[in-house]
Amino acid sequence: MASRQPLPADDFGIYYVLAECTDHYDPFPANEADENQPHFQGVTGLRNLGNTCYMNAILQCLCSISPLVEYFLSGKYITALQKDCSKVATAFAYVMTDMWLGDSDCVSPEILRSALGSLYPALTKKTQQDAQEFLIYVLNELHEALKKYHRRRLYEKKSLPRCCRKMIASESSIITRLFEGQLNYSIVCLKCENCTYKNEVFTVLSLPIPSRYECSLQDCLQCFFQQDTLTWNNQILCSLCETKQETAVRASISKAPKIIVFHLKRFDVLGTMKRKLRTDIHYPLTNLDLTPYICPIFRKHPKYNLCAVVNHFGDLDGGHYTAFCKNSVTQAWYSFDDTRVSEIPDTSVQTATAYLLFYSCQPFSIPIQKCKS
């Protein structure tokens, strides 16, 4: 139990409270960039198109994931494109190419916002959006554009317990290969003790925050994976009892993704009351151990290293997003605040404003730009 202490201060005061609400406001125009700083691949700012810091932060994180970068820079994505929904993936490839191979210190993501805006009109309204929702939009659209179909089958061995069996998806893409995991829920009737299992795929895990003041990422994970008892209106129909019964439910990971994204549920809604949890959550930069939560049969990559962070400053009605990303070329961490980019020490990556955490089970190599002949 964390000791009771004052809430951590919110740094939003330095992040342009008024200016963030104006159209096309960019607190750090490109011509104010430090021209003495060397320009590295993948270390490129993004222009704010009018309250699009949420988009910029997510794009920086995705563009720091080397396997995804290599897939687009090498041109592999072109052969997988679905003709009827290729607009978003093509625009994403253009932006990523500019960020990795261009000569500019900052680029505009307008082409991607326009492509996504045709599908999600709210993104064109120059109002603040939720970065986690935007991430899901982007991953879904990239998957739809690049997916390949497979015959659906159940992967299992006779020696495997039912709780550890995996469903092989009928559709796969670079997105599912990198980001998709699977949760297995064991559901036990508390009257007859009949146990059933349910599988659910995920690309982002939304973690509850168990303390108002201070906790660790492991505390959040333990809270998510602890056994939950469903009573009253939440009872589940038992197939043996043939009536709704109180039920014990516990989740575990039956397929761990190569890139696991944690969404820290800082925005809390209680009836008509809305608040932001400013809990200082401590998360490791290396060796995040997921062993306690992964089905033993599939503990191939139980430890993960942090590769990117999305920070949120402000409250529910307005705020500002930034990103911290580790560059695979320089192996250094960088802070991305729209067009403003700066190298930061490892010690600065841990902040009380973290909202999304990107972890990888393997170290990144430098992306290959062209397919080998």
Side-chain angles (χ1 to χ4, degrees):
M1 180 74 69
S3 60
R4 186 177 181 84
Q5 54 182 294
L7 289 171
D10 194 325
D11 307 358
F12 184 61
I14 66 172
Y15 278 108
Y16 351 108
V17 179
L18 297 177
E20 183 68 8
C21 299
T22 62
D23 288 349
H24 294 280
Y25 175 74
D26 193 337
F28 298 99
N31 59 10
E32 291 184 10
D34 187 351
E35 296 181 357
N36 295 323
Q37 290 247 352
H39 180 69
F40 297 108
Q41 288 184 312
V43 185
T44 304
L46 290 169
R47 294 190 184 280
N48 191 310
L49 307 175
N51 285 321
T52 57
C53 55
Y54 66 91
M55 176 173 66
N56 292 348
I58 292 299
L59 290 179
Q60 293 291 2
C61 293
L62 293 178
C63 288
S64 71
I65 297 173
S66 288
L68 186 64
V69 174
E70 182 174 317
Y71 182 80
F72 281 92
L73 294 190
S74 66
K76 293 178 183 177
Y77 79 97
I78 296 174
T79 58
L81 275 177
Q82 303 289 323
K83 292 181 179 179
D84 59 340
C85 56
S86 62
K87 192 174 180 181
V88 170
T90 302
F92 184 81
Y94 286 160
V95 173
M96 183 173 286
T97 300
D98 284 345
M99 294 175 69
W100 272 85
L101 305 182
D103 297 325
S104 300
D105 290 327
C106 70
V107 298
S108 171
E110 173 60 40
I111 186 174
L112 181 60
R113 186 180 71 159
S114 177
L116 283 165
S118 64
L119 301 172
Y120 306 99
L123 301 181
T124 65
K125 294 181 179 179
K126 299 180 183 178
T127 56
Q128 188 64 269
Q129 304 294 325
D130 183 75
Q132 181 246 351
E133 292 179 357
F134 180 77
L135 172 62
I136 292 174
Y137 293 159
V138 173
L139 295 182
N140 284 347
E141 293 306 322
L142 291 179
H143 169 68
E144 288 299 315
L146 303 168
K147 65 187 178 183
K148 292 183 179 179
Y149 295 93
H150 304 278
R151 181 178 298 177
R152 191 173 182 85
R153 61 189 178 89
L154 182 67
Y155 169 78
E156 62 176 295
K157 296 179 181 178
K158 291 183 179 179
S159 59
L160 290 183
R162 289 180 60 197
C163 65
C164 292
R165 296 173 187 174
K166 293 194 295 186
M167 291 298 295
I168 302 301
S170 58
E171 301 171 350
S172 69
S173 68
I174 184 64
I175 302 303
T176 60
R177 291 195 293 274
L178 290 178
F179 295 94
E180 187 175 275
Q182 180 177 275
L183 292 175
N184 177 269
Y185 292 92
S186 64
I187 305 167
V188 180
C189 173
L190 295 182
K191 182 177 182 180
C192 70
E193 298 186 350
N194 177 48
C195 184
T196 57
Y197 298 95
K198 176 184 177 183
N199 292 314
E200 181 180 280
V201 297
F202 69 89
T203 51
V204 178
L205 274 186
S206 293
L207 302 181
I209 301 175
S211 171
R212 189 180 175 190
Y213 303 99
E214 185 177 9
C215 68
S216 68
L217 180 58
Q218 283 290 355
D219 293 331
C220 298
L221 287 165
Q222 289 171 13
C223 187
F224 180 87
F225 286 103
Q226 70 183 357
Q227 180 173 294
D228 190 17
T229 302
L230 304 182
T231 60
W232 299 96
N233 293 334
N234 295 319
Q235 291 180 354
I236 294 178
L237 179 65
C238 174
S239 58
L240 290 185
C241 298
E242 297 185 343
T243 58
K244 288 186 176 182
Q245 299 288 350
E246 292 188 354
T247 308
V249 179
R250 182 186 292 273
S252 62
I253 298 174
S254 54
K255 176 194 171 189
K258 294 179 180 177
I259 309 293
I260 191 164
V261 184
F262 297 118
H263 164 226
L264 304 175
K265 297 174 69 174
R266 292 195 179 276
F267 301 137
D268 190 22
V269 180
L270 296 173
T272 59
M273 297 291 292
K274 297 187 296 183
R275 63 171 180 166
K276 178 183 176 182
L277 297 176
R278 306 185 191 278
T279 307
D280 189 1
I281 301 173
H282 302 280
Y283 45 90
L285 272 61
T286 60
N287 293 321
L288 172 66
D289 190 3
L290 297 182
T291 301
Y293 319 111
I294 302 177
C295 185
I297 283 293
F298 299 114
R299 288 177 183 166
K300 294 181 181 179
H301 308 291
K303 292 190 177 182
Y304 286 72
N305 296 326
L306 188 69
C307 57
V309 180
V310 171
N311 301 296
H312 181 266
F313 302 85
D315 53 32
L316 281 77
D317 299 319
H320 185 65
Y321 289 98
T322 67
F324 297 153
C325 303
K326 188 173 184 179
N327 183 267
S328 59
V329 177
T330 66
Q331 291 298 306
W333 281 92
Y334 294 86
S335 170
F336 295 92
D337 186 352
D338 291 332
T339 59
R340 187 177 188 179
V341 181
S342 59
E343 185 175 344
I344 59 174
D346 292 2
T347 53
S348 295
V349 177
Q350 169 72 58
T351 73
T353 55
Y355 182 54
L356 294 170
L357 302 172
F358 292 70
Y359 279 88
S360 171
C361 66
Q362 296 174 338
F364 293 150
S365 58
I366 298 174
I368 299 173
Q369 297 173 18
K370 294 182 180 179
C371 294
K372 295 180 182 180
S373 55

